[in-house]
């Protein structure tokens, strides 16, 4: 039995014993009143009986109520504890389930992220290798272009020397008046061989050039020819002795074509023309 209930039971029993003792004492006094006239008053004993009965009844009822109340309080407390224990267990189980769910989801997300990072890393390595290879190829190409430019610069220097030599000879001839002819040297003319890719006839292989659009090395415009002049062409970056083809020379224009070229070279060629005006 619980200590509180035991204590309340002892108190109730004590009150009951005290009630019995009081009743016995009142009865004894009533018996004595028969011999003692000073206590011979029925209303006194009636009031005393009622008082003791009321005290005993209140004490007994109070003790019973306290016992039942304490017991109910214990039951309520036990019920609350049990309910709290159950809910705590359910909450703990639910919390464990939620934590397990989130752990699983996080682990899956981490695994997916790791796979994505591995894929990105592999792609980055492949891209780096590819970019490195492309940069190396680009560097090699640039070195090839640089070499070609150096060769073109060297060839340009040779051509410039030849042009200066020819120009000097023309000036010397004109000064000595050996021939009653005028000579002109036109530089920086260009022929694009790509027109042959779309040409539909042999005539389409040629490009037409007008004398009115040309200037000599000295920056002078060409004169208006009375007769079709005599032309000699010189193409840069071509084997020695190989020149272009000239046809349909008139007082205003001529047509030019380059029969062959090296595929590894540029498709646009620079050429010069030596013009001799006929008397």
């Amino acid at each position: 039995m619980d200590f509180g209930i035991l204590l309340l039971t002892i108190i109730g029993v004590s009150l009951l014993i005290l009630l019995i003792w009081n009743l016995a004492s009142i009865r004894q006094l009533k018996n004595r009143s028969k011999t003692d006239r000073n206590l011979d008053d029925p209303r006194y004993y009636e009031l005393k009986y009622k008082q003791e009965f009321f005290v005993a009844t209140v004490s007994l009822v109070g003790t019973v109520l306290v016992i039942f109340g304490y017991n109910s309080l214990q039951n309520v407390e036990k019920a609350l504890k049990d309910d709290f224990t159950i809910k705590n267990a359910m909450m703990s189980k639910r919390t464990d389930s939620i934590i397990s769910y989130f752990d699983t989801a996080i682990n899956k997300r981490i695994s997916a992220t790791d796979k994505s990072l591995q894929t990105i890393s592999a792609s980055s390595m492949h891209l780096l290798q590819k970019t490195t290879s492309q940069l190396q190829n680009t560097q090699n190409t640039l070195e090839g272009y640089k070499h070609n430019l150096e060769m073109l610069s060297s060839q340009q220097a040779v051509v410039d020397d030849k042009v200066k030599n020819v120009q000097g000879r023309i000036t010397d001839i004109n000064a000595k008046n050996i021939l009653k002819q005028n000579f002109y040297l036109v530089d920086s003319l260009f022929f694009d061989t790509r027109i042959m890719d779309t040409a539909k006839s042999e005539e389409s292989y040629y490009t037409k050039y007008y004398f009115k659009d040309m200037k000599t090395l000295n920056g002078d415009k060409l004169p208006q020819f009375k007769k079709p002049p005599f032309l000699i062409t010189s193409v840069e970056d071509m084997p020695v002795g190989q020149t272009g083809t000239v046809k349909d020379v008139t007082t205003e224009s001529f047509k030019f074509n380059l029969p062959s070229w090296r595929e590894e070279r540029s498709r646009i060629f620079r050429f010069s023309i030596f013009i001799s005006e006929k008397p």
Side-chain angles (χ1 to χ4, degrees):
M1 182 181 294
D2 189 76
F3 177 75
I5 297 176
L6 179 61
L7 179 60
L8 293 176
T9 303
I10 292 174
I11 292 173
V13 172
S14 299
L15 292 174
L16 184 60
I17 293 173
L18 181 60
L19 175 62
I20 295 172
W21 174 263
N22 288 333
L23 292 175
S25 297
I26 292 172
R27 186 177 292 278
Q28 186 179 1
L29 288 174
K30 187 176 182 180
N31 292 330
R32 288 177 58 187
S33 65
K34 294 179 179 181
T35 58
D36 190 356
R37 297 184 179 275
N38 294 326
L39 298 176
D40 190 11
D41 190 353
R43 291 178 297 177
Y44 170 77
Y45 294 107
E46 182 181 359
L47 180 62
K48 191 67 175 177
Y49 275 119
K50 290 181 178 179
Q51 180 181 357
E52 293 299 331
F53 178 77
F54 179 75
V55 172
T57 302
V58 171
S59 299
L60 182 60
V61 171
T63 302
V64 172
L65 291 177
V66 170
I67 292 173
F68 279 104
Y70 184 79
N71 190 21
S72 299
L73 181 63
Q74 289 291 328
N75 293 332
V76 171
E77 182 179 359
K78 184 176 182 304
L80 291 175
K81 286 184 179 180
D82 294 341
D83 184 65
F84 177 77
T85 302
I86 294 172
K87 290 184 177 180
N88 189 27
M90 292 176 62
M91 184 64 70
S92 178
K93 184 177 180 181
R94 185 176 181 182
T95 302
D96 293 339
S97 177
I98 293 173
I99 292 175
S100 177
Y101 172 78
F102 278 107
D103 286 341
T104 303
I106 291 172
N107 290 330
K108 289 182 179 179
R109 183 63 61 85
I110 292 174
S111 178
T113 304
D114 289 339
K115 291 181 180 179
S116 298
L117 289 175
Q118 292 176 359
T119 303
I120 293 172
S121 178
S123 300
S124 299
M125 290 298 297
H126 178 71
L127 180 60
L128 179 61
Q129 293 175 357
K130 185 177 180 180
T131 304
T132 303
S133 177
Q134 290 178 349
L135 287 175
Q136 185 65 37
N137 294 333
T138 303
Q139 184 176 2
N140 294 335
T141 303
L142 290 175
E143 290 178 355
Y145 287 158
K146 182 179 179 181
H147 178 70
N148 292 334
L149 288 175
E150 291 176 352
M151 290 182 61
L152 289 175
S153 297
S154 177
Q155 293 174 358
Q156 181 65 34
V158 174
V159 172
D160 290 342
D161 290 339
K162 291 181 179 180
V163 169
K164 289 180 180 179
N165 187 20
V166 171
Q167 186 178 10
R169 292 181 62 185
I170 292 173
T171 303
D172 184 60
I173 290 172
N174 288 332
K176 292 180 180 181
N177 198 19
I178 296 176
L179 297 174
K180 292 181 180 180
Q181 292 181 343
N182 291 324
F183 299 93
Y184 307 96
L185 185 60
V186 178
D187 193 13
S188 300
L189 297 176
F190 296 92
F191 178 75
D192 191 349
T193 60
R194 290 177 294 184
I195 64 171
M196 300 182 184
D197 297 337
T198 58
K200 297 182 179 180
S201 64
E202 183 178 356
E203 187 67 23
S204 301
Y205 292 163
Y206 288 83
T207 300
K208 193 173 185 179
Y209 298 86
Y210 292 90
F211 294 122
K212 65 179 181 179
D213 299 329
M214 302 177 188
K215 290 184 179 181
T216 65
L217 292 177
N218 295 326
D220 300 327
K221 290 186 176 182
L222 295 177
Q224 181 67 40
F225 299 112
K226 296 180 180 180
K227 295 181 180 181
F230 176 74
L231 303 180
I232 299 177
T233 62
S234 175
V235 184
E236 296 180 10
D237 197 23
M238 294 292 288
V240 178
Q242 184 174 352
T243 61
T245 302
V246 178
K247 74 171 188 174
D248 297 340
V249 180
T250 66
T251 57
E252 296 180 352
S253 64
F254 67 93
K255 293 182 179 180
F256 179 83
N257 178 30
L258 192 63
S260 61
W261 65 91
R262 297 179 183 177
E263 292 291 342
E264 68 273 10
R265 300 294 184 182
S266 173
R267 296 293 300 273
I268 300 177
F269 291 86
R270 180 178 177 180
F271 68 97
S272 305
I273 57 172
F274 175 77
I275 303 175
S276 174
E277 187 177 4
K278 296 180 181 180

